[in-house]
């Protein structure tokens, strides 16, 4: 007989409530308002290479990406958009610079949204009415994407450098032009490579408008540096309730951007947690290679889609206590490992059997979870 224990879960700690923003649609994904914070990325392929682009979109979708952006700098890229949009399982945003004609092409292609960079699109201000009319007719939203590296020359001349104030003024000026023609289906980003400037810009922008905000640290760098910078900046803003969609920018495989973005949201309880590996730091008490053990467990459990917290502890003295809040774990030492579930030891196994036994127990627990995430046990 299967009995659902229905064990009560402690309330999820919350941070500052999300700021109230307008809500827009990017394809079938809601952004802003009370919609979940979405994770975006951008393809690294040449958009005109339809096969390669769709293959990368599929990999990103599998990794949990909610919205994907593709570059559209040439006629060949614009011509590929209708096919990509039709075959992608997640909304596609076209990224437009310099040529306003590609904005119209992307809207006609059925893109869920178009990112425009007012600072480097020729005579952009003169094109706004036509762009808004076309976007409204096709149900396409827009993103006003202001970047430190391509700030409107007029604003840059005024401030002398891309300060937080300069970024915000540029964004609000462009937003006012959209508003003048009655168009409000847009979100805003004010990206900078310096997390401190970026944070200040988004805080100021949040205080002056209610449009949904797309968070990003531009040119964040290679994986390690970019992850740190993005985590610091996003964590600060999201903890203040600021941010409706995020894109982690890494000089790496875009799948890694999605993984980092999802983990940032999970760490802040802004997205339900999936599999989580917690492990202790190395210290003089360790009698096992914790780094190798944690990596082996992580690799072995890759692809397991269950909200399990698995602890890997290298000390039999404190391991059980430190991992008490985990669903499953091991405290290793003296050539063996104590496998525990919710703080209770269920098996003691030789060191060379820790990984396969831990994986076996994790998969068993995942299989016994019902759709509500509550564990079920079989009794006779």
């Amino acid at each position: 007989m299967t009995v659902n224990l229905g064990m009560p879960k402690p309330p999820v700690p919350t941070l500052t409530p999300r700021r109230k923003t307008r809500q827009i649609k990017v394809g079938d994904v809601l952004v802003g308002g009370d919609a979940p914070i979405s994770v975006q990325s951008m393809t690294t392929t040449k958009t005109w290479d339809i096969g390669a682009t769709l293959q990368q979109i599929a990999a990103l979708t599998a990794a949990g990406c909610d919205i994907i952006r593709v570059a559209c700098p040439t006629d060949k890229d614009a011509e590929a958009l209708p096919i990509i949009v039709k075959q992608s399982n997640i909304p596609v945003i076209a990224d437009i610079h310099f040529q306003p004609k590609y904005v119209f092409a992307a809207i006609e292609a059925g893109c869920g949204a178009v990112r425009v960079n007012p600072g480097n699109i020729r005579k952009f201000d003169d094109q706004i009415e036509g762009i808004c009319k076309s976007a409204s007719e096709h149900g396409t939203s827009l993103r006003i994407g202001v970047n430190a590296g391509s700030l409107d020359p007029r604003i840059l001349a005024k401030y002398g450098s891309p300060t937080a104030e300069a970024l915000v003024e540029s964004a609000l000026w462009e937003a006012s032009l959209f508003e003048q023609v009655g168009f409000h289906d847009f979100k805003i980003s004010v990206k900078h490579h310096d997390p401190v400037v970026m944070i200040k810009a988004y805080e100021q922008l949040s205080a002056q408008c209610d449009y949904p905000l797309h968070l990003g640290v531009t040119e964040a760098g290679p994986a390690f540096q970019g992850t740190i910078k993005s985590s610091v900046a996003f964590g600060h803003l999201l903890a203040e309730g600021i941010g409706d969609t995020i894109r982690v920018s890494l000089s790496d495989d875009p799948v890694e951007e999605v993984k980092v973005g999802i983990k940032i949201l999970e760490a802040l309880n802004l997205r339900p947690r999936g599999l989580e590996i917690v492990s202790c730091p190395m210290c003089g008490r360790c009698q096992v290679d914790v780094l190798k053990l944690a990596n082996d467990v992580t690799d072995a459990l890759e692809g397991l889609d269950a909200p399990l917290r698995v602890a890997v502890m290298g000390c039999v003295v404190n391991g059980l206590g430190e991992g008490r809040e985990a669903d499953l774990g091991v405290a290793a030492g003296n050539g063996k490992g104590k496998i525990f579930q919710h703080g209770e030891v269920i098996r003691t196994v030789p060191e060379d059997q820790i990984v396969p036994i831990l994986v076996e127990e994790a998969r068993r627990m995942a299989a016994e979870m019902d759709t509500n995430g509550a564990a079920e046990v079989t009794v006779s």
Side-chain angles (χ1 to χ4, degrees), residues 24-312:
I24 64 171
K25 292 185 69 174
V26 178
D28 58 0
V29 174
L30 295 175
V31 176
D34 58 357
I37 297 171
S38 53
V39 175
Q40 302 191 24
S41 186
M42 187 172 183
T43 56
T44 58
T45 58
K46 299 298 184 184
T47 304
W48 54 259
D49 188 341
I50 295 173
T53 300
L54 286 172
Q55 186 174 16
Q56 191 169 71
I57 291 175
L60 288 160
T61 303
C65 187
D66 300 305
I67 300 169
I68 187 62
R69 182 157 46 106
V70 299
C72 187
T74 71
D75 289 343
K76 289 172 64 178
D77 299 310
E79 291 165 2
L81 288 177
I83 299 174
I84 292 171
V85 168
K86 184 177 181 179
Q87 296 192 29
S88 174
N89 288 325
I90 56 177
V92 175
I93 297 177
D95 190 74
I96 309 299
H97 298 268
F98 307 116
Q99 292 280 2
K101 68 178 182 178
Y102 296 137
V103 177
F104 294 98
I107 293 172
E108 293 285 343
C111 288
V114 179
R115 181 275 176 109
V116 294
N117 190 337
N120 65 18
I121 293 182
R122 290 198 295 270
K123 298 183 178 179
F124 179 78
D125 295 356
D126 297 335
Q127 302 280 338
I128 285 180
E129 185 172 0
I131 289 172
C132 291
K133 183 177 184 295
S134 181
S136 296
E137 291 173 350
H138 290 81
T140 307
S141 61
L142 302 174
R143 169 159 73 94
I144 299 174
V146 177
N147 269 18
S150 54
L151 195 61
D152 187 306
R154 297 165 295 184
I155 303 294
L156 187 59
K158 176 180 177 180
Y159 287 91
S161 66
T163 62
E165 292 75 15
L167 294 170
V168 172
E169 182 172 325
S170 179
L172 291 177
W173 165 251
E174 298 299 340
S176 71
L177 298 180
F178 285 99
E179 292 170 342
Q180 287 175 17
V181 295
F183 188 84
H184 300 278
D185 292 333
F186 60 87
K187 59 183 182 291
I188 303 176
S189 64
V190 281
K191 297 186 178 183
H192 198 285
H193 63 86
D194 185 331
V196 174
V197 177
M198 176 267 201
I199 288 170
K200 289 182 176 179
Y202 277 100
E203 287 176 335
Q204 292 176 27
L205 185 60
S206 176
Q208 297 181 60
C209 76
D210 65 351
Y211 288 107
L213 300 183
H214 168 116
L215 302 187
V217 177
T218 190
E219 298 111 29
F224 178 76
Q225 174 181 292
T227 296
I228 297 298
K229 291 171 72 172
S230 296
S231 299
V232 168
F234 291 5
H236 183 105
L237 291 167
L238 293 169
E240 294 183 324
I242 298 172
D244 300 286
T245 185
I246 65 173
R247 189 265 172 115
V248 176
S249 298
L250 302 178
S251 300
D252 204 330
D253 185 332
V255 167
E256 296 304 311
E257 297 183 348
V258 173
K259 290 180 179 179
V260 172
I262 289 174
K263 287 302 179 183
I264 290 173
L265 295 179
E266 287 181 358
L268 292 167
N269 291 330
L270 294 171
R271 176 174 286 214
R273 298 191 185 201
L275 177 68
E276 180 182 7
I277 307 295
V278 296
S279 58
C280 64
M282 301 288 286
C283 77
R285 291 194 305 270
C286 290
Q287 296 178 328
V288 67
D289 187 338
V290 176
L291 176 60
K292 182 179 185 306
L293 184 58
N295 285 336
D296 288 346
V297 171
T298 299
D299 292 342
L301 291 177
E302 185 175 2
L304 184 68
D305 185 18
L308 283 174
R309 178 175 289 168
V310 180
V312 179

